[in-house]
Every structure is written in structure tokens, then in C-alpha cells.
Amino acid sequence: MSDLPEPSGTTHDACHHAGIGRRGFLGLAGSTLASVGLASLLGAAPANAAPAVQPDAPLRFALVTDTHVNVDTPQSTAYLTQVWASIAARTPDLVLHCGDITDTGRPDEFERYAEVLPAALHGRMHYSPGNHDVRWDPSAKEQYHSHFGPSPYSFDAGGVHFIGFDPTQALQEPGHYGPGGLEWLEADLKRLRPGTPAVLFQHFPMGNTFYYVDDQPAVLDLLADYDVRGIFAGHIHKEVVSRFNGLTQIGLNAVRNGALYYWVERTVASDGTPVLRVSRVNVAADGTETEVPVADMPMAGNGLGRPQRPRGVRLGNVASGLLPVSVRLDGDARPAQVAVDLYPQTIFGGAAAPSGSPSPPNPTRTGGGKAPSTSPRSSPAPSACACRSPRRTAPGGRTPPCSRWSAAPPTRGPAGSTSCPARSRAASPQSAPTTGRPPS
């Protein structure tokens, strides 16, 4: 039995709340009315509330992440004040915050955050916590819920189903969905009308070289069965667009790095299909805005991740310290690339370079929904990985597991890429600008 809230998605008019003073903030702390009072103070819309936007009406919203408000760092609120002023002037339907609202989750940081949030955005805000909001205190998760209400939660706006998920763990760095979280997510997605595009927003990005969520293979498998078209995420403090398993993930740069945010509008692509068009807005000190296109997130399609799921992963014979891995895909997958990434099983909370160069799909694959055959003669050479840590034989003849792997030169063999342990994915090329600070 999960203790997570029941899936919600009823559309209501946006809630607008009056502000509250310092004494009111402190008086509400620890009281039974804290969830109402603090949610009002911090501008959070109720978990089951959404803008009254009709499915065919234009949808316009803003995205921010990693504001890292700290009372000892005035610059953190200086940037945020510029960002809020710019967003408020655009009167968005909603604003999504992808976490690390504060730097350490202290009450005075939340109070400072509330002081700079304009009243015009009250009732429009939707939050997902970051690791900095919950990792420093055993009661941090409870405090977050008292500020912002239950999580995870979902709502509908402009014909799009939004899911605000919370994979954070109190006193922990890595994210984790767990059986209860996966159960909640599947129940929420199951109730959607076929063809309804869903978008997930949370703190941690997933897939490709990211392994911040320690059970992300199960999450990605679940998402592949439904019409989840994209993910918005923070944490990495830089802009990274990646397309894999039939969805588009946009990692966002941090407000901590400068006065910037993301603006999204539902529009139509050149081929007539609906997309969420995402651009980055840089705000200068004098208020001048520069808008830079980032990516289109396609909203059309039905379960595009299903054919991308590998039909089989085969480990070859270890030779000279190398383990070849071949991946068999469905004939309908038609990926731009096939790669296997290395996710260390003993360390989570980071990202790494791919374990090997992505391989093009096997040219001998067959259509009609059948799993393709592999042919060493016509297949590209896979990459390989090898153990680079000392592995002296322990008493009793046992060899300890490898603690450090690294890429090795490719060798001829079956199609695919290699990694140990491996998690396969079908992907298209990703763009990863290097501006911004690394996550903390």
C-alpha cells in the first residue's frame, strides 16, 4: 500500500492568495494550518488546481530551476528578482519550478524566497523539490510538504497533462522513485485519455549519461508504455537537450548562474503537428530581454517509446579484459543511434561520459515488428569497456567486483555498444552546451 497521494488532475480555476507577513510566517510554522498558510505565502497553487486553459487554447508558461536562495548570498535573490519581474510581465498561465528552491532548506531561506516572489505569480506556481531542499534535515521532507503541499501530483492545462514528481530523499543525494512512486506514476498515466500528451517535471534528469535517479531504468521502462512526450529537469546547472526513447528531455540552466529562465508556448511545427516551443530568456540588469530558441518538444505520437525498448541484450565473451554487448531492437524502432551507457552500481548522484561511441542501427534488421537479426559481418564495430581497478584474487579464490570501468578501443563484433553493468537505450544525438556550473 502506497502512502503517496492519489493521482489528481481535475482542472480548476487558478487560486490566488494574499501575502503574509514575517510574524504570520513564523506563527504558522508547526501549526495545523501551515500547509495552507505557507503554500499561500510561497505562491503554490493547490496540488489539484490548474489554469482554466481550454485544450485548444494557447498555452504559455515559464520554467525556472535551481534558484538556491541563501540569506548570506544577496546575488541569489538579485538574479531571482529580475527573473520574477520579467515572468510576471508576460502573465504566464503557470510557472514550473524544478527544485533546489533554497540552498539548504532553512526556514529563513524560504522566508527570503517568499519576499521576492511577486503577488502576480501567487497561485500560478507549481513546484518539485530538489536535493538541496530536503537533504540537510531529517524533517526536511515534512517541511517541504508544509510549504508546498503534497507531492507527487498532476494537473492538466492547455491539453497537456503535467506531472510534478518528487524523487528526492531526505538526507540523501540520489533520487529514488521506489515501488510506491512507480505505482503512483502508472496509476496517474493509466487514467489519461489515449493521445493526451504528458510532460514530467522534476529536479533530476534521467537517461543517457545521467544517473542521478538510482532506479531510473524502471522509470524509463514505465514511461515508454505511455504518451509521455517530454521531461523538464534541473540539477545540472546547464542547458542540455537530449532525445531518447521517443521523448525529449530538456535540462535547464540555473537561476543561480544568472538572470535567466525558460519560456514555453504550445504551437504548431512546420509539419502541422503540435509542439511545445522552448526558448531561454536572458534578462540584463536594465531589464532588457534576449530570447534564444532551445528546442521543440513534439506533442504528437502515441507511445513512441514502446518500439525503442530493446528486445534483447546479449553479452559476448570476455577477451583481453573487454566485454562486448549487442542490443537487438524492434524492427519498428528506427533509432538514429543505439548506445549502452555505464551506470556504476555503487555510486549514484553524478554523470559520466558515455562508455563507448554510439553505434548506428544494425543494417540487417527486419521489419514487421520482428526482432532484427544481428550479423557480425555487416555490423559496425561496437565499443567496449574494461575494468581499470586492481582486482586481486581474494582468499577462497573469489575475484572482487570491479569498482572502476573505463572505455577501451572498439573491436569487431555484434552490433551495439558496450558497458558493464549495462543499461541500453535507443537515442538520437544530444546537444550539451558546456555553460553553467556543475550540480552540487
Side-chain angles (χ1 to χ4, degrees):
M1 180 70 68
S2 171
D3 59 356
L4 294 169
E6 290 297 315
S8 60
T10 305
T11 301
H12 299 291
D13 290 342
C15 250
H16 297 275
H17 307 283
I20 187 170
R22 175 182 175 87
R23 291 186 179 180
F25 179 93
L26 297 176
L28 286 169
S31 74
T32 57
L33 297 178
S35 62
V36 177
L38 292 178
S40 301
L41 174 67
L42 299 173
N48 65 343
V53 181
Q54 298 301 318
D56 296 329
L59 175 65
R60 304 160 62 253
F61 63 96
L63 288 155
V64 297
T65 191
D66 293 86
T67 48
H68 286 274
V69 169
N70 187 316
V71 294
D72 299 320
T73 310
Q75 190 61 59
S76 66
T77 50
Y79 288 147
L80 187 55
T81 299
Q82 293 176 254
V83 165
W84 285 151
S86 177
I87 292 176
R90 294 183 177 224
T91 60
D93 296 311
L94 61 144
V95 182
L96 307 182
H97 196 311
C98 292
D100 278 3
I101 304 159
T102 65
D103 207 29
T104 63
R106 286 164 31 186
D108 57 351
E109 292 176 345
F110 283 112
E111 183 178 1
R112 185 73 184 103
Y113 174 84
E115 290 173 355
V116 300
L117 181 69
L121 297 180
H122 283 200
R124 301 175 188 268
M125 301 297 303
H126 293 269
Y127 297 93
S128 177
N131 54 300
H132 275 253
D133 299 315
V134 304
R135 67 177 293 186
W136 311 115
D137 189 291
S139 64
K141 293 283 276 190
E142 181 181 348
Q143 293 178 29
Y144 175 86
H145 292 150
S146 73
H147 296 344
F148 301 103
S151 61
Y153 65 101
S154 62
F155 62 92
D156 301 302
V160 179
H161 184 69
F162 290 90
I163 302 170
F165 207 86
D166 174 13
T168 62
Q169 304 178 86
L171 302 179
Q172 298 291 324
E173 171 69 18
H176 182 74
Y177 272 61
L182 293 169
E183 178 184 338
W184 183 95
L185 181 59
E186 184 165 26
D188 185 72
L189 291 170
K190 272 185 175 180
R191 67 179 180 78
L192 294 181
R193 182 176 302 175
T196 301
V199 172
L200 178 72
F201 69 97
Q202 64 179 31
H203 188 59
F204 301 108
M206 298 186 292
N208 291 331
T209 62
F210 304 122
Y211 53 94
Y212 302 111
V213 177
D214 60 14
D215 55 352
Q216 70 177 15
V219 180
L220 295 177
D221 277 346
L222 193 158
L223 297 180
D225 283 332
Y226 297 94
D227 297 331
V228 178
R229 307 303 300 119
I231 299 172
F232 291 116
H235 191 59
I236 54 178
H237 294 203
K238 63 182 178 180
E239 192 175 286
V240 177
V241 178
S242 48
R243 304 182 192 274
F244 59 93
N245 294 357
L247 59 80
T248 300
Q249 177 174 260
I250 301 180
L252 310 173
N253 203 343
V255 176
R256 177 183 179 178
N257 291 337
L260 61 91
Y261 64 94
Y262 292 81
W263 185 252
V264 186
E265 294 188 4
R266 182 183 174 114
T267 185
V268 177
S270 58
D271 61 0
T273 59
V275 298
L276 292 181
R277 182 151 293 160
V278 183
S279 59
R280 183 181 69 256
V281 181
N282 300 310
V283 185
D286 63 358
T288 303
E289 298 178 356
T290 304
E291 195 160 337
V292 181
V294 174
D296 280 357
M297 182 179 287
M299 292 288 102
N302 184 9
L304 299 180
R306 295 189 190 104
Q308 308 290 349
R309 180 181 287 113
R311 296 291 294 270
V313 178
R314 180 178 178 275
L315 304 182
N317 296 322
V318 176
S320 301
L322 304 179
L323 174 63
V325 178
S326 61
V327 178
R328 300 176 65 224
L329 295 175
D330 190 286
D332 297 329
R334 293 179 171 80
Q337 296 177 349
V338 178
V340 177
D341 289 328
L342 170 63
Y343 296 154
Q345 299 299 296
T346 55
I347 302 175
F348 286 96
S355 57
S357 301
S359 300
N362 190 340
T364 63
R365 40 191 291 189
T366 59
K370 297 180 180 179
S373 59
T374 59
S375 171
R377 290 178 300 172
S378 59
S379 303
S383 301
C385 74
C387 181
R388 302 303 183 197
S389 60
R391 303 183 69 192
R392 298 182 178 87
T393 302
R398 294 184 301 131
T399 300
C402 183
S403 60
R404 182 164 65 92
W405 298 88
S406 63
T411 57
R412 297 296 298 179
S417 299
T418 56
S419 175
C420 317
R423 169 63 186 166
S424 61
R425 61 176 169 87
S428 56
Q430 80 170 28
S431 169
T434 58
T435 58
R437 300 179 183 177
S440 57

